[in-house]
Amino acid sequence: MVDLPDPHPCAGEIRIKVRAAGINASDWKKRQGLLDQELPQTLGYEAAGIVDEIGDDVSGVAVGDRVFGASPYGAAQAELTVLSYWAPIPNSLDYARSAAIPAAAETAARSLDQLGATAGSTVLINGASGSVGSAVVQLAVERGARVIGTGSPGTHDTLRSLGAEPVAYGDGMSERVRAIMPSGVDFALDVAGSGVLPELVELAGAPEHVMTVADLLGAQQTGVRFSHGGTGRATYALAQVARMAETGRFSIKVGQTFPLAEVAQAHRVGEAGTVRGKLVLLVG
């Protein structure tokens, strides 16, 4: 760790005193040199904390407000960070659970938008029990869609509680889905990157009805769409999930927390994949 100059918000941005920051796979990909390669490296795309500086052309937020949101600079794992989009933290959430939300909620909303999933649609989610997958389930149910979610048997009760019809992944997954929906599904979304895109295309009827956020090579091979932030962010999702969380209709499970100084250990735990739920750094 090194000291860097304090960041300051540009127009349309705010700065927060960070109280918690989410850990994502993109963090260790950056550390491994697979994304950005400049040094010193900054990490973190999502955080929750207290507003302490406001840029020009910003309204509806004041110094001292509790907010959660996303850093445009990938530098949220620090004492101070700048956010480009944010929402108030609902009274029902603490900082750790708020910091677990932004990336998963934005990815989920963006993917559902790009798929075209609406009320009455049947959506199959591959990898429904993870942070992004559970966010997709909850937002799809909120839209009025019927949701089928793949996960290990130990996650099925949780998936049911979120409003999904669970099926086990692995060999025979397609047959298990067709036992629920004999004619297939309207849309399928892959958030696990587990090599099932050909099966999802078969179940959804065509590549254009399938999207992945985790398997770029598979998307290129099958003609499936790959969703990423460069195609436009669903920034509205933060305010939506904040409202849902206030009434108990949205949550992201926090699996383990670490003090900021133990970020290396958080990476090891995240890469090992042994903890179910979001990993969060606590700051201050």
Side-chain angles (χ1 to χ4, degrees):
M1 288 189 180
V2 299
D3 288 327
L4 296 175
D6 288 350
H8 296 283
C10 297
E13 299 175 339
I14 63 173
R15 188 178 75 177
I16 64 170
K17 295 178 181 178
V18 178
R19 291 294 175 262
I23 291 276
N24 293 287
S26 57
D27 296 325
W28 50 83
K29 289 179 180 178
K30 287 179 72 173
R31 193 201 71 239
Q32 293 167 350
L34 299 176
L35 295 176
D36 302 326
Q37 297 180 339
E38 298 83 6
L39 294 175
Q41 189 62 261
T42 58
L43 297 176
Y45 290 95
E46 54 189 346
I50 302 167
V51 178
D52 82 328
E53 193 171 307
I54 298 175
D56 294 336
D57 302 322
V58 172
S59 60
V61 66
V63 170
D65 286 354
R66 297 193 327 143
V67 301
F68 67 111
S71 163
Y73 309 110
Q77 295 166 16
E79 295 166 322
L80 298 169
T81 195
V82 169
L83 304 181
S84 57
Y85 58 94
W86 59 88
I89 296 176
N91 293 331
S92 58
L93 295 183
D94 58 18
Y95 289 118
R97 288 186 293 164
S98 299
I101 289 176
E106 188 281 323
T107 300
R110 167 172 30 96
S111 301
L112 290 170
D113 288 346
Q114 292 171 345
L115 271 176
T118 57
S121 301
T122 301
V123 183
L124 170 61
I125 302 165
N126 179 55
S129 62
S131 295
V132 175
S134 65
V136 178
V137 170
Q138 292 170 91
L139 290 179
V141 169
E142 184 77 4
R143 295 180 183 210
R146 181 179 181 181
V147 180
I148 301 170
T150 73
S152 64
T155 67
H156 286 189
D157 285 345
T158 298
L159 291 176
R160 289 189 189 95
S161 74
L162 298 178
E165 299 170 69
V167 297
Y169 58 70
D171 293 342
M173 183 268 287
S174 292
E175 290 74 16
R176 290 187 286 274
V177 172
R178 287 199 181 275
I180 299 173
M181 292 293 296
S183 60
V185 298
D186 297 316
F187 304 104
L189 175 62
D190 168 41
V191 300
S194 53
V196 299
L197 290 182
E199 292 177 77
L200 300 186
V201 170
E202 189 270 332
L203 286 165
E208 57 266 29
H209 298 158
V210 181
M211 181 165 286
T212 179
V213 300
D215 188 358
L216 178 58
L217 178 59
Q220 294 169 340
Q221 293 171 339
T222 59
V224 164
R225 289 178 287 169
F226 182 82
S227 179
H228 56 85
T231 56
R233 297 281 186 185
T235 58
Y236 69 86
L238 295 195
Q240 178 186 6
V241 300
R243 293 190 297 269
M244 292 171 63
E246 193 65 61
T247 56
R249 303 192 327 276
F250 189 92
S251 65
I252 297 290
K253 175 180 172 60
V254 174
Q256 191 170 344
T257 62
F258 305 81
L260 179 61
E262 294 181 12
V263 62
Q265 178 61 17
H267 277 222
R268 295 185 190 103
V269 172
E271 289 178 278
T274 54
V275 173
R276 184 173 295 165
K278 188 82 171 188
L279 304 182
V280 176
L281 297 174
L282 302 180
V283 184

